[in-house]
C-alpha cells in the first residue's frame, strides 16, 4: 500500500527500519488513523514503538529531549504533548487526528535539528542514525496521515462519507502555512468577515496589493513539479545540500536539485521554493552540471553551442546563486 523505500532514510536504526517495513506490509485499504477495527496505531504499537523508544532512550549525544517527553508514535494521532496549543473547535475526527500528529511531527523536527546542532562536525555515526530515525518518523507520519478513511465522524455525531478537506495547510506558492490554517479558532467563526485565504499565506494573498502573489505566480507550476519530484524520488533521504540527478531532457544528461534539510513538509517546500527562485535553470544549471562532471570550459561551450566566455560568465554568476539557494533551503535567507 505504501512504499517503505520512499519513507525510510538510509541511516535509520535497523530495528526501527525493519519494524516500519513490517508495519507497512500489514496495512490494508481498510486501515486509517481514525479506524478502531483497522487501527494503524495497533500496527505501530506492535512493530515500531519499542524500537523507537530504545533509540530515544539510548542516544548518548546532546539533544532537546523534553521536546519528545511522553511521545509514543502509535498515539501520535490520539494525544498531544502538555505544551500543545488549545484544540480548535469544530474539527472532524480525522481532522483532529491529523492535527495531533502534525503537532508531534513538529516536535520531532525540532528534536532532530537540536541533535544535529549539538553534534560535533563531522557528525558521528550515532548522531546520523538518531537523526535519520527521526526523519523516518516524520516521513511515516506524513504518509499515514494522508490515508483517508471511507468515512469520518463529525463533532456533532454526523457521518461524512468522504473526509472533508476544507483548507490546505501550506500555501500553493511557498512553504508557509495558509492564512486559514494559522488563524486558529478565529477561522471558523469569522472566516468570511476576516477574509482568511484558504489557499495562500499572508505573503501571497491575492487580495493584498502588497503581497508577492503576482511576482511568484509564474513559478507555481515549476514549484509544484519540483515538490512532486522531491517526494517521488526521496530527495529528503539524500545527504548534502545539492545533487545532480540523471535527466535525459538536459544537454548534460543531469539536472540540479536541492536536498531538503529534513523530511518535514516545511523543509521539503523550502528546498523546492529555493530552487525554482534561484535563477539557476537553463544554461546556468547546465554549466554547473558539466563542471561537476569535470568537463573543461571549451567542451562545455561546444556542448551548449555558446562561447567559452559565455560559459565562464555563467559559471561565475551561478556559484553565488547556488550558495544563496543552499541558504534559502534551510531558511537562512528571506523568501
Amino acid at each position: 500500500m505504501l512504499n517503505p523505500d520512499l519513507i525510510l532514510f538510509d541511516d535509520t536504526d535497523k530495528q526501527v527500519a525493519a519494524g516500519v517495513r513490517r508495519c507497512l506490509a500489514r496495512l490494508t485499504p481498510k486501515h486509517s488513523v481514525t479506524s478502531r477495527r483497522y487501527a494503524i496505531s495497533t500496527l505501530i504499537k506492535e512493530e515500531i514503538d519499542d524500537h523507537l523508544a530504545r533509540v530515544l532512550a539510548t542516544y548518548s549525544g546532546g539533544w532537546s529531549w523534553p521536546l519528545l517527553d511522553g511521545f509514543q508514535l502509535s498515539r501520535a494521532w490520539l494525544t498531544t504533548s502538555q505544551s500543545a496549543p488549545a484544540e480548535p473547535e469544530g474539527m472532524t475526527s480525522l481532522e483532529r487526528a491529523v492535527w495531533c500528529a502534525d503537532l508531534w511531527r513538529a516536535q520531532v523536527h525540532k528534536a532532530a535539528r537540536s541533535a544535529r546542532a549539538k553534534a560535533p562536525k563531522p557528525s558521528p555515526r550515532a548522531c546520523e542514525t538518531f537523526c535519520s530515525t527521526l526523519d523516518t518518523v516524520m516521513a511515516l507520519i506524513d504518509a499515514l496521515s494522508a490515508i483517508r478513511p471511507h468515512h469520518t465522524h463529525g463533532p456533532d455525531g454526523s457521518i461524512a462519507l468522504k473526509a472533508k478537506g476544507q483548507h490546505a495547510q501550506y500555501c500553493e506558492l511557498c512553504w508557509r502555512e495558509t492564512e486559514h490554517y494559522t488563524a486558529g479558532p478565529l477561522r471558523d467563526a469569522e472566516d468570511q468577515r476576516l477574509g482568511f485565504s484558504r489557499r495562500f499565506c499572508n505573503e501571497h494573498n491575492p487580495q493584498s496589493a502588497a503581497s508577492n502573489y503576482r511576482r511568484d505566480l509564474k513559478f507555481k507550476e515549476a514549484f509544484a513539479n519540483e515538490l512532486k519530484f522531491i517526494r517521488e524520488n526521496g530527495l529528503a533521504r539524500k545527504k548534502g545540500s545539492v545533487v545532480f540527478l540523471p535527466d535525459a531532457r538536459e544537454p548534460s544528461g543531469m539536472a540540479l536539485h536541492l536536498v531538503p534539510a529534513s523530511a518535514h513538509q516545511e523543509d521539503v517546500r523550502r528546498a523546492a521554493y529555493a530552487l525554482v527562485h534561484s535563477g539557476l535553470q537553463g544554461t546556468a544549471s547546465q554549466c554547473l552540471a558539466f563542471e561537476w562532471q569535470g568537463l573543461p570550459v571549451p567542451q562545455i561551450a561546444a556542448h551548449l553551442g555558446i562561447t567559452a566566455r559565455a560559459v565562464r560568465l555563467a559559471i561565475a554568476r551561478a556559484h553565488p546563486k547556488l550558495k544563496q539557494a543552499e541558504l534559502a533551503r534551510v531558511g537562512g535567507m528571506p523568501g
Side-chain angles (χ1 to χ4, degrees), residues 97-280:
V98 174
W99 177 78
C100 290
D102 281 346
L103 292 178
W104 277 120
R105 183 185 62 178
Q107 296 292 90
V108 173
H109 181 222
K110 292 177 183 177
R113 282 197 167 183
S114 72
R116 289 188 172 100
K118 295 180 180 181
K121 306 299 181 188
S123 299
R125 179 71 178 179
C127 178
E128 291 297 325
T129 298
F130 180 76
C131 293
S132 292
T133 302
L134 294 186
D135 287 338
T136 291
V137 169
M138 286 189 286
L140 185 62
I141 289 175
D142 290 336
L144 296 180
S145 291
I147 297 176
R148 293 296 180 255
H150 293 294
H151 64 268
T152 182
H153 293 268
D156 59 353
S158 61
I159 297 178
L161 296 179
K162 190 177 181 181
K164 296 180 179 179
Q166 295 183 347
H167 60 278
Q169 180 176 356
Y170 292 101
C171 174
E172 293 180 7
L173 299 179
C174 70
W175 70 89
R176 302 176 182 89
E177 293 176 336
T178 61
E179 288 184 324
H180 186 81
Y181 187 86
T182 57
L186 286 176
R187 66 186 179 210
D188 297 315
E190 302 185 72
D191 184 38
Q192 292 184 348
R193 184 178 70 82
L194 297 178
F196 293 126
S197 175
R198 292 170 178 261
R199 298 171 54 196
F200 302 100
C201 64
N202 183 60
E203 293 291 326
H204 292 109
N205 189 336
Q207 298 180 11
S208 172
S211 79
N212 292 321
Y213 171 77
R214 289 160 188 82
R215 184 198 71 180
D216 291 348
L217 184 61
K218 60 185 177 183
F219 297 103
K220 180 178 178 181
E221 183 177 357
F223 177 61
N225 289 339
E226 184 63 16
L227 276 178
K228 181 179 179 182
F229 183 89
I230 291 174
R231 290 163 179 161
E232 290 182 349
N233 292 274
L235 255 63
R237 294 184 288 112
K238 295 185 178 296
K239 295 181 179 179
S241 58
V242 178
V243 291
F244 289 94
L245 298 179
D247 191 331
R249 299 169 298 179
E250 301 291 352
S252 67
M254 308 292 285
L256 182 152
H257 298 276
L258 294 176
V259 178
S262 77
H264 193 281
Q265 283 299 307
E266 180 180 318
D267 285 334
V268 170
R269 299 178 76 87
R270 276 186 184 275
Y273 182 91
L275 179 68
V276 301
H277 287 263
S278 65
L280 289 170

